[in-house]
Amino acid sequence: MKHTLIRTLPVIDRRATLRWLAGALAVGQLAACGETFGESAWLAPTPITGNGTGRDPNLLEPAAPWPLTLTQAELLATKALVDLILPAEGDAPAASEVGVPAFIDEWVSAPYPTQQEHRALIVPGLAWLDAEAIARGGKRFALLDAAAMKAIANDIAFGGRLKAGLEKPAEFFSRMRALTMGAYYTTPAGWNDIGYPGAKPGTGPYAGPTREAIAHMRALVEGMGLDFVEA
Amino acid sequence: MVTTRDGPFDAVVVGSGAGGAMAAYVLTRAGAKVLMLEAGRDYDPEEAPMLNLARDAPLRGSGTPDKPFGFYDATVDGGWEMPDEPYSVAEGSAFMWWRSRMLGGRTNHWARNSFRMGPYDFKPFTRDGLGVDWPISYDEMAPWYDRTEKLVGVYGANLGLENHPDSGPGVLQPAPKLRAWELFLKAGGAALDIPVVPARRAILTTKIDERQPCYWASPCGRGCSIGAAFQTTTSLIPWAKATGNLTVLTGAMVYEVMLDSSGKASGVRYIDKASGSHREAKGRVVVLAASTGETARILLNSQPNGRSEGLANSSGQVGRNLMDTVGSNVSAYCPALEGRPVYNEDGAMGLHAYIPFWLYKEQAAGRLDFPRGYHVEIGGGFGEPGVGGYEGFDGYGSGLRQQVRQRYGARIRLTQRGEMIPNEKSFCAIDPDRKDKLGIPVLKFSFAWSDHELKQVTHFQTAMRALMDRLGGELTSEAAAPEKLISVGGEIIHEVGTARMGMKADQSVTDRFNRTWDVDNLYLTDGSIFCSKAHKNPTISILALSMRASDHIATRLKTGEI
């Protein structure tokens, strides 16, 4: 591979941070004035107009030609959320350390029907996340402490105990979780975490199951009252 | 009208996929000068992104309308819909037509599953009174299958199974070892008398010529630049070129067969896509292998003396008898497979084992309510994690990571591939109201499954649910009426039958050597000539039938008969 496309979160300079804080303050003031995140806020965002890959792209030098569209505020909420979904643990890095926010941006910015459908859920969902954080804790989602973030997530992340009225945010969370996992487990860190040992060209015949894998399968199958035949 | 340079040719071959490339190979090796016309662009197998990673591709390689089988799929300028080359579907029908526009056609990305048709498959009418028999028998085809498999390189095992013929001695490549989850299915199947046996695929496991054997990585659908997974662009086409007798013209969209004053084919007319100009290519024999749909389209659009029924269609069978493979799926999560020792299960990146149809005796005895068989392609294992498939998870954080590790390698997918019987409602014809961007009238498809196929789906679903149940699997696929579970016509990309061969000129388009009854020097060597659509994936049979027909053509060219 001559290059990879993993994009990292843009470096945020001091001026940008100040602008963002000013925006956060404005949102806080809106919330304080009694604005709520109603049904209308889930309306679809502006559609994408960029070019797709075309039907004959260079497969050896892959590139996504469409411009990225998430705002800095949306990217910060994304980063906080994907790291809540897959935080660092042991040797495994957090989602944002392996480019997941940039992937989400690439995904929702892509000019294809599936991605546009997801965009119509994710862009308002990120706004909901900030509005909910401000309503509950007076700060945007990314500025909440871990416990406050989890308090919001706990209302929308578990299929068996969703908080009534939060069906749409729950749908948003499920989509973000699926995309975060898809992005994460395709990285080297994800392969390592899951144990995928493949994509390794070898010579000679295919090695087949290890002795340990065969012994395990034999015990498993015989434990089910079945005959094990190796071959 | 400009006549193509470098002529005259002994043979003009339309298409560079399985049927066309085999014809070019056999004819050029026999000394014939061959012009091959391909509608798509030239393609170099070195373009295949064999070791690129999903994480480097746009959207991690997800399928899009531009690249429906994923970014890295080998298909060039094709897919289900091509904006410049539309097709119509009759009201009340559903049909999907996968095309590619590249040298080598769809052989660059196929699954390489290569199951021979057997004795019953060539005489289905004799067996159950439905459809028609082929004008040839399995015994006649067996040596051609042997030659084809030996040339192509097919891994598998001779198992002595009913209607799943063995290959000749020394023909097959060694099959790769079964993986642990395949042994799991084999044990469950044995308890229910469902066989799980080594599969056959057109993949080299040992070196036989300049092509390299499989190195046990890289999805085959991306194309195989080392030549392990068979495609015509690493084998038949370069071999034919090496004879010095093959001329390849790409970007040449053939739309019509020309006849001379005696009614013989004199060549074809095509549009050079780069310039938009209409041209002619002439030869002593014309071989159409443009794909089942395109071959029928060329015949129907060739209207000598204004005959609206098209060429080689005195039987009225051109476009009729359109068939595809019956498809449906059962998938399950198997808790028993949780936490098993991880090792490299990539293998040949496809089937090492499958379930061949195992109920011929019951079927013959009238104990089944569906007349034709199916096989089951099985999937599972510790595959490369993809970007999709994470919908069923719950929560976040550490618990989520734990769920992923627990479920890895515990999913099983069972895919039905069944035989369809030709019916009156399934055919293609020219749409009188629509032309493509080049001005060529397009095809209009009509398609319907019958009860035969629907009952077969129900049987498959019931049998596979029983298998999963015996293994403690929890179904993750839908349980629904077969009408909802069956594939859309064309979706399995095994469309065949639109110009079938036969014993009699009034019931078929070609004779037993793929020669059209109406035009003595016009041959069809793709899937269009199939009389039935056995459950077996058609490519290996297209190759073998093309080899046999081309040998016949070569003999006639040599004797001066044409």
PDB file of all heavy atoms in Angstrom, chain B residues 526-539:
ATOM      1  N   ASP B 526     -22.235 -19.626 -24.792  1.00  0.00           N
ATOM      2  CA  ASP B 526     -22.374 -19.164 -23.406  1.00  0.00           C
ATOM      3  C   ASP B 526     -23.534 -19.884 -22.727  1.00  0.00           C
ATOM      4  O   ASP B 526     -23.998 -20.928 -23.205  1.00  0.00           O
ATOM      5  CB  ASP B 526     -22.540 -17.635 -23.369  1.00  0.00           C
ATOM      6  CG  ASP B 526     -23.685 -17.160 -24.246  1.00  0.00           C
ATOM      7  OD1 ASP B 526     -24.580 -17.978 -24.559  1.00  0.00           O
ATOM      8  OD2 ASP B 526     -23.681 -15.968 -24.612  1.00  0.00           O
ATOM      9  N   GLY B 527     -24.047 -19.329 -21.665  1.00  0.00           N
ATOM     10  CA  GLY B 527     -25.132 -19.982 -20.918  1.00  0.00           C
ATOM     11  C   GLY B 527     -26.458 -19.999 -21.642  1.00  0.00           C
ATOM     12  O   GLY B 527     -27.400 -20.662 -21.199  1.00  0.00           O
ATOM     13  N   SER B 528     -26.548 -19.277 -22.758  1.00  0.00           N
ATOM     14  CA  SER B 528     -27.837 -19.211 -23.455  1.00  0.00           C
ATOM     15  C   SER B 528     -28.311 -20.579 -23.939  1.00  0.00           C
ATOM     16  O   SER B 528     -29.503 -20.811 -24.049  1.00  0.00           O
ATOM     17  CB  SER B 528     -27.755 -18.233 -24.639  1.00  0.00           C
ATOM     18  OG  SER B 528     -26.840 -18.694 -25.611  1.00  0.00           O
ATOM     19  N   ILE B 529     -27.380 -21.506 -24.199  1.00  0.00           N
ATOM     20  CA  ILE B 529     -27.793 -22.782 -24.816  1.00  0.00           C
ATOM     21  C   ILE B 529     -28.255 -23.825 -23.788  1.00  0.00           C
ATOM     22  O   ILE B 529     -28.611 -24.937 -24.164  1.00  0.00           O
ATOM     23  CB  ILE B 529     -26.654 -23.377 -25.678  1.00  0.00           C
ATOM     24  CG1 ILE B 529     -25.339 -23.461 -24.918  1.00  0.00           C
ATOM     25  CG2 ILE B 529     -26.447 -22.538 -26.927  1.00  0.00           C
ATOM     26  CD1 ILE B 529     -25.127 -24.696 -24.125  1.00  0.00           C
ATOM     27  N   PHE B 530     -28.257 -23.483 -22.513  1.00  0.00           N
ATOM     28  CA  PHE B 530     -28.656 -24.461 -21.485  1.00  0.00           C
ATOM     29  C   PHE B 530     -30.123 -24.877 -21.659  1.00  0.00           C
ATOM     30  O   PHE B 530     -30.998 -24.047 -21.846  1.00  0.00           O
ATOM     31  CB  PHE B 530     -28.462 -23.876 -20.080  1.00  0.00           C
ATOM     32  CG  PHE B 530     -27.051 -23.982 -19.557  1.00  0.00           C
ATOM     33  CD1 PHE B 530     -25.955 -23.680 -20.351  1.00  0.00           C
ATOM     34  CD2 PHE B 530     -26.825 -24.377 -18.240  1.00  0.00           C
ATOM     35  CE1 PHE B 530     -24.656 -23.776 -19.857  1.00  0.00           C
ATOM     36  CE2 PHE B 530     -25.526 -24.471 -17.736  1.00  0.00           C
ATOM     37  CZ  PHE B 530     -24.446 -24.179 -18.544  1.00  0.00           C
ATOM     38  N   CYS B 531     -30.344 -26.191 -21.558  1.00  0.00           N
ATOM     39  CA  CYS B 531     -31.710 -26.722 -21.654  1.00  0.00           C
ATOM     40  C   CYS B 531     -32.370 -26.766 -20.291  1.00  0.00           C
ATOM     41  O   CYS B 531     -33.593 -26.779 -20.173  1.00  0.00           O
ATOM     42  CB  CYS B 531     -31.668 -28.138 -22.202  1.00  0.00           C
ATOM     43  SG  CYS B 531     -30.982 -28.209 -23.854  1.00  0.00           S
ATOM     44  N   SER B 532     -31.553 -26.870 -19.255  1.00  0.00           N
ATOM     45  CA  SER B 532     -32.076 -26.871 -17.892  1.00  0.00           C
ATOM     46  C   SER B 532     -31.066 -26.135 -17.032  1.00  0.00           C
ATOM     47  O   SER B 532     -29.930 -25.916 -17.443  1.00  0.00           O
ATOM     48  CB  SER B 532     -32.260 -28.303 -17.378  1.00  0.00           C
ATOM     49  OG  SER B 532     -30.994 -28.934 -17.201  1.00  0.00           O
ATOM     50  N   LYS B 533     -31.495 -25.737 -15.877  1.00  0.00           N
ATOM     51  CA  LYS B 533     -30.592 -25.020 -14.965  1.00  0.00           C
ATOM     52  C   LYS B 533     -30.423 -25.873 -13.723  1.00  0.00           C
ATOM     53  O   LYS B 533     -31.120 -25.697 -12.732  1.00  0.00           O
ATOM     54  CB  LYS B 533     -31.188 -23.641 -14.619  1.00  0.00           C
ATOM     55  CG  LYS B 533     -30.496 -22.884 -13.497  1.00  0.00           C
ATOM     56  CD  LYS B 533     -29.153 -22.425 -13.910  1.00  0.00           C
ATOM     57  CE  LYS B 533     -28.100 -22.423 -12.819  1.00  0.00           C
ATOM     58  NZ  LYS B 533     -27.968 -23.576 -11.963  1.00  0.00           N
ATOM     59  N   ALA B 534     -29.540 -26.862 -13.824  1.00  0.00           N
ATOM     60  CA  ALA B 534     -29.267 -27.695 -12.657  1.00  0.00           C
ATOM     61  C   ALA B 534     -28.884 -26.786 -11.489  1.00  0.00           C
ATOM     62  O   ALA B 534     -28.492 -25.640 -11.696  1.00  0.00           O
ATOM     63  CB  ALA B 534     -28.130 -28.658 -12.961  1.00  0.00           C
ATOM     64  N   HIS B 535     -28.972 -27.319 -10.271  1.00  0.00           N
ATOM     65  CA  HIS B 535     -28.619 -26.463  -9.125  1.00  0.00           C
ATOM     66  C   HIS B 535     -27.146 -26.104  -9.116  1.00  0.00           C
ATOM     67  O   HIS B 535     -26.707 -25.249  -8.371  1.00  0.00           O
ATOM     68  CB  HIS B 535     -29.023 -27.145  -7.807  1.00  0.00           C
ATOM     69  CG  HIS B 535     -28.299 -28.428  -7.503  1.00  0.00           C
ATOM     70  ND1 HIS B 535     -27.027 -28.456  -6.992  1.00  0.00           N
ATOM     71  CD2 HIS B 535     -28.683 -29.720  -7.637  1.00  0.00           C
ATOM     72  CE1 HIS B 535     -26.660 -29.718  -6.811  1.00  0.00           C
ATOM     73  NE2 HIS B 535     -27.646 -30.502  -7.200  1.00  0.00           N
ATOM     74  N   LYS B 536     -26.382 -26.744  -9.973  1.00  0.00           N
ATOM     75  CA  LYS B 536     -24.932 -26.539  -9.997  1.00  0.00           C
ATOM     76  C   LYS B 536     -24.562 -25.236 -10.701  1.00  0.00           C
ATOM     77  O   LYS B 536     -25.115 -24.917 -11.752  1.00  0.00           O
ATOM     78  CB  LYS B 536     -24.285 -27.740 -10.659  1.00  0.00           C
ATOM     79  CG  LYS B 536     -24.508 -28.982  -9.785  1.00  0.00           C
ATOM     80  CD  LYS B 536     -24.680 -30.248 -10.543  1.00  0.00           C
ATOM     81  CE  LYS B 536     -25.030 -31.381  -9.570  1.00  0.00           C
ATOM     82  NZ  LYS B 536     -25.131 -32.680 -10.235  1.00  0.00           N
ATOM     83  N   ASN B 537     -23.641 -24.507 -10.117  1.00  0.00           N
ATOM     84  CA  ASN B 537     -23.220 -23.221 -10.659  1.00  0.00           C
ATOM     85  C   ASN B 537     -22.757 -23.421 -12.100  1.00  0.00           C
ATOM     86  O   ASN B 537     -21.974 -24.331 -12.381  1.00  0.00           O
ATOM     87  CB  ASN B 537     -22.089 -22.657  -9.786  1.00  0.00           C
ATOM     88  CG  ASN B 537     -22.425 -22.755  -8.299  1.00  0.00           C
ATOM     89  OD1 ASN B 537     -22.897 -23.793  -7.840  1.00  0.00           O
ATOM     90  ND2 ASN B 537     -22.200 -21.709  -7.562  1.00  0.00           N
ATOM     91  N   PRO B 538     -23.199 -22.597 -13.029  1.00  0.00           N
ATOM     92  CA  PRO B 538     -23.086 -22.952 -14.456  1.00  0.00           C
ATOM     93  C   PRO B 538     -21.714 -22.768 -15.105  1.00  0.00           C
ATOM     94  O   PRO B 538     -21.480 -23.327 -16.175  1.00  0.00           O
ATOM     95  CB  PRO B 538     -24.109 -22.030 -15.122  1.00  0.00           C
ATOM     96  CG  PRO B 538     -24.268 -20.869 -14.207  1.00  0.00           C
ATOM     97  CD  PRO B 538     -24.047 -21.409 -12.815  1.00  0.00           C
ATOM     98  N   THR B 539     -20.802 -22.003 -14.525  1.00  0.00           N
ATOM     99  CA  THR B 539     -19.600 -21.617 -15.269  1.00  0.00           C
ATOM    100  C   THR B 539     -18.780 -22.811 -15.766  1.00  0.00           C
ATOM    101  O   THR B 539     -18.343 -22.829 -16.924  1.00  0.00           O
ATOM    102  CB  THR B 539     -18.720 -20.667 -14.441  1.00  0.00           C
ATOM    103  OG1 THR B 539     -19.505 -19.532 -14.089  1.00  0.00           O
ATOM    104  CG2 THR B 539     -17.507 -20.211 -15.230  1.00  0.00           C
TER     105      THR B 539
END
